[in-house]
């Protein structure tokens, strides 16, 4: 079998392993929906300023939770799973097999990107059914490119963070500790309209805010253009 064929088989293996763990698969899909419902329930009746007019807060939270889904599937998942596999000795054992190390990582990354797209679809459908936020079919190319580039970028960052994770026990704390504060200052959890200057600059440094704003622009019912 060719090396690329081995890499593709690793993708299939990662996908099967994921769906054969029903509890993990269930909560991976359900957790974003829980956040979507909770935030909309907490801020029910509130409005957000989009493109020069006030609109329902749901128009903010549907793309916001879609961004959260991608980050969780890619950055958090990759950072934690690679660190745990390293601690369990899986990476060393892979080195002793015919499977190239890059093919093992390829399987992890491609599967995470697949899950990210699945979660964006689930959140979009829920937003349409529950909150009447239209799925941006007219901006689908922009949505596809944005989610793909962001997924690949956050997978890369997930691999990078493993360099400072000392062991498997520290993996959940470090991955969540490095991303949760950014979710609050990057217009994912809270629609910050006039944050302090230093907080705004801090959010601009990291990619979370730019990704969230890109999705909000694509989902914005009052925006014009292709969404890029």
């Amino acid at each position: 079998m060719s090396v690329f064929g081995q890499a593709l088989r690793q993708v299939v293996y990662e996908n099967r392993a994921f769906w054969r763990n029903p509890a993990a698969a269930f909560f991976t899909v359900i957790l974003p929906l829980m956040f979507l419902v909770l935030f909309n329930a907490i801020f029910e009746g509130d409005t957000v300023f989009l493109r020069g007019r006030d609109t329902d807060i749901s128009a903010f939270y549907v793309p916001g939770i879609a961004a959260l889904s991608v980050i969780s599937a890619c950055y958090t998942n990759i950072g934690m799973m690679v660190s745990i596999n390293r601690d369990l000795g899986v990476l060393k054992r892979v080195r002793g097999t015919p499977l190239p190390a890059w093919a093992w990582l390829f399987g992890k990354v491609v599967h995470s990107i697949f899950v990210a797209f699945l979660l964006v679809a689930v959140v979009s459908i829920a937003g349409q059914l529950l909150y009447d936020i239209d799925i941006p079919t007219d901006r689908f190319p922009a949505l596809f490119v944005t989610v793909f580039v962001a997924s690949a970028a956050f997978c890369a960052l997930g691999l990078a963070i493993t360099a400072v994770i000392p062991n498997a026990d520290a993996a959940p704390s470090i991955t969540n500790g490095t991303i949760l504060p950014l979710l609050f200052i990057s217009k994912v959890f809270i629609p910050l309209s006039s944050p302090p200057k230093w907080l705004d600059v801090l959010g601009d440094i990291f990619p979370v805010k730019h990704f969230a704003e890109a999705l909000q622009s694509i989902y914005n019912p009052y925006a014009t253009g292709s969404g890029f």
Side-chain angles (χ1 to χ4, degrees):
M1 180 181 292
S2 68
V3 176
F4 188 67
Q6 288 179 310
L8 291 179
R9 287 195 66 176
Q10 186 63 23
V11 175
V12 174
Y13 166 77
E14 293 289 344
N15 189 56
R16 286 179 178 172
F18 175 76
W19 293 111
R20 286 176 180 175
N21 188 346
F26 175 79
F27 282 103
T28 297
V29 175
I30 291 299
L31 195 60
L33 296 180
M34 290 173 59
F35 275 112
L36 182 65
V37 172
L38 283 173
F39 278 115
N40 276 285
I42 292 170
F43 298 101
E44 185 178 7
D46 287 2
T47 58
V48 64
F49 196 70
L50 293 176
R51 290 284 176 174
R53 60 179 87 181
D54 289 326
T55 188
D56 190 80
I57 195 70
S58 301
F60 171 84
Y61 278 118
V62 170
I65 299 304
L68 170 66
S69 302
V70 172
I71 294 167
S72 297
C74 297
Y75 176 79
T76 308
N77 179 58
I78 289 283
M80 288 178 58
M81 294 310 299
V82 172
S83 299
I84 292 170
N85 284 325
R86 182 184 62 196
D87 224 35
L88 293 174
V90 172
L91 301 189
K92 287 184 179 179
R93 293 198 292 274
V94 168
R95 282 290 193 179
T97 71
L99 183 70
W102 73 265
W104 186 85
L105 287 176
F106 180 84
K108 291 282 185 190
V109 169
V110 172
H111 170 69
S112 294
I113 293 174
F114 166 76
V115 172
F117 272 98
L118 173 65
L119 295 180
V120 170
V122 169
V123 171
S124 298
I125 293 171
Q128 173 82 69
L129 296 178
L130 299 178
Y131 305 107
D132 201 28
I133 303 300
D134 292 335
I135 298 173
T137 52
D138 56 332
R139 298 174 193 151
F140 183 78
L143 178 62
F144 179 87
V145 171
T146 300
V147 172
F148 179 79
V149 172
S151 299
F154 281 107
C155 282
L157 290 170
L159 290 173
I161 198 65
T162 61
V164 298
I165 297 176
N167 51 59
D169 292 335
S173 301
I174 293 177
T175 51
N176 288 310
T178 51
I179 199 63
L180 279 176
L182 293 178
L183 295 174
F184 279 98
I185 68 172
S186 301
K187 300 182 180 180
V188 173
F189 287 156
I190 302 173
L192 300 172
S193 56
S194 54
K197 182 65 177 177
W198 67 269
L199 198 62
D200 199 34
V201 171
L202 184 63
D204 286 339
I205 295 172
F206 297 96
V208 178
K209 179 179 178 180
H210 304 289
F211 176 42
E213 288 182 341
L215 284 185
Q216 286 158 9
S217 178
I218 292 170
Y219 280 81
N220 188 338
Y222 306 121
T224 58
S226 63
F228 281 102

